[in-house]
């Protein structure tokens, strides 16, 4: 069983990354939250992976933290939630926000994920309530923002996301509003945050 893949990030988009290790390029499926924390092309990266074996082939699903992988594995144990559905949920909600939603019986927040209906969201709440613990939130030692490769505009973007989520906005709302802002290596978090808050009023 593959636990993680460590190598050079050679290509990426919002759904997949290619990580090269010893001359082999591994295509790994990711969620939107993971995409926001990726370093720049050419940087070394370590991804914790879930290896799916199906009759028609193999697939890898990757995350930057053990905690994200752990939550992904819990999600796919729920009837009606496959790997793609779990990625959709983790694109809308971070692992910690999903914990909050489950503990608060907030199935509506979970149902915002593409392809996840109200019944499936309620099933997730019921089946994971005893498995997702509040004390597991915000693992400082495992947080992707600690990644030293994240600098420049990506670093500013991620600091802005953290600031917006601390103000009560969801990670998906923060990500969406920041996509409409031109962030350069010269941008500072304060100015980006002011623009983001101004734009939030029109969302």
């Amino acid at each position: 069983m593959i636990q993680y893949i460590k190598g050079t990030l050679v290509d990426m988009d919002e759904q997949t990354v290619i990580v090269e290790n010893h001359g082999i390029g591994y295509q790994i499926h990711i969620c939107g939250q993971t995409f926001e924390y990726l370093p720049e092309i050419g940087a070394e990266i370590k991804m914790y992976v879930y290896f799916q074996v199906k009759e028609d082939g193999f697939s890898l699903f990757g995350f930057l933290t053990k905690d994200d992988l752990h939550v992904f594995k819990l999600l796919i144990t729920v009837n009606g939630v496959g790997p793609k559905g779990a990625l959709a949920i983790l694109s809308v909600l971070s692992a910690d926000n999903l914990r909050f939603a489950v503990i608060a019986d907030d199935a509506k927040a979970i149902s915002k994920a593409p392809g996840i209906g109200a019944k499936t969201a309620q099933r997730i709440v019921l089946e994971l309530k005893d498995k997702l613990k509040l004390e597991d939130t915000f693992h400082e030692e495992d947080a992707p923002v600690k990644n030293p490769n994240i600098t420049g505009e990506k670093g500013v973007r991620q600091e802005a996301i953290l600031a917006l989520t601390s103000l009560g906005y969801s990670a998906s709302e923060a990500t969406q509003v920041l996509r409409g802002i031109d962030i350069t290596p010269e941008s500072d978090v304060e100015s980006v945050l002011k623009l983001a808050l101004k734009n939030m009023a029109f969302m």
Side-chain angles (χ1 to χ4, degrees):
M1 179 67 69
I2 301 174
Q3 299 295 321
Y4 65 84
I5 294 174
K6 186 176 183 180
T8 303
L9 180 64
V10 296
D11 198 10
M12 64 177 174
D13 57 38
E14 293 190 12
Q15 297 180 323
T16 59
V17 297
I18 305 296
V19 178
E20 183 179 338
N21 176 284
H22 294 294
I24 300 174
Y26 295 90
Q27 183 183 55
I28 304 170
H29 299 278
I30 61 171
C31 65
Q33 297 278 343
T34 297
F35 176 76
E36 292 300 328
Y37 285 102
L38 290 174
E40 303 296 332
I41 295 291
E44 185 177 87
I45 188 172
K46 180 178 181 180
M47 300 204 74
Y48 297 93
V49 297
Y50 173 78
F51 184 46
Q52 182 190 44
V53 180
K54 296 176 64 177
E55 292 182 0
D56 57 351
F58 310 109
S59 297
L60 288 168
F61 299 85
F63 305 89
L64 293 175
T65 71
K66 292 180 183 178
D67 185 51
D68 284 346
L69 176 59
H70 170 67
V71 171
F72 172 83
K73 287 181 176 179
L74 288 177
L75 281 170
I76 62 177
T77 66
V78 177
N79 185 35
V81 181
K84 289 184 178 179
L87 284 186
I89 293 168
L90 291 174
S91 290
V92 173
L93 296 169
S94 68
D96 285 330
N97 285 339
L98 177 62
R99 284 189 177 91
F100 293 137
V102 169
I103 292 167
D105 291 321
D106 190 0
K108 185 177 180 181
I110 300 172
S111 67
K112 291 180 180 180
I116 303 297
K119 289 184 178 179
T120 301
Q122 190 60 52
R123 193 180 303 123
I124 290 169
V125 170
L126 290 173
E127 295 189 21
L128 298 188
K129 197 152 193 177
D130 293 332
K131 299 177 181 178
L132 291 173
K133 301 177 181 179
L134 192 60
E135 56 265 31
D136 291 334
T137 57
F138 304 122
H139 297 262
E140 290 297 329
E141 74 280 1
D142 201 29
V145 76
K146 296 287 186 180
N147 190 330
N149 294 315
I150 300 174
T151 57
E153 56 265 46
K154 273 196 173 290
V156 170
R157 184 182 300 275
Q158 288 164 27
E159 285 188 45
I161 288 175
L162 289 174
L164 289 168
T165 54
S166 71
L167 291 173
Y169 297 101
S170 70
S172 58
E173 288 173 329
T175 300
Q176 182 180 346
V177 76
L178 288 172
R179 283 175 181 163
I181 298 174
D182 184 24
I183 300 177
T184 69
E186 289 73 35
S187 299
D188 62 87
V189 178
E190 184 178 355
S191 61
V192 170
L193 191 57
K194 285 181 179 178
L195 281 173
L197 291 171
K198 182 179 179 180
N199 292 347
M200 280 291 188
F202 299 100
M203 288 182 64

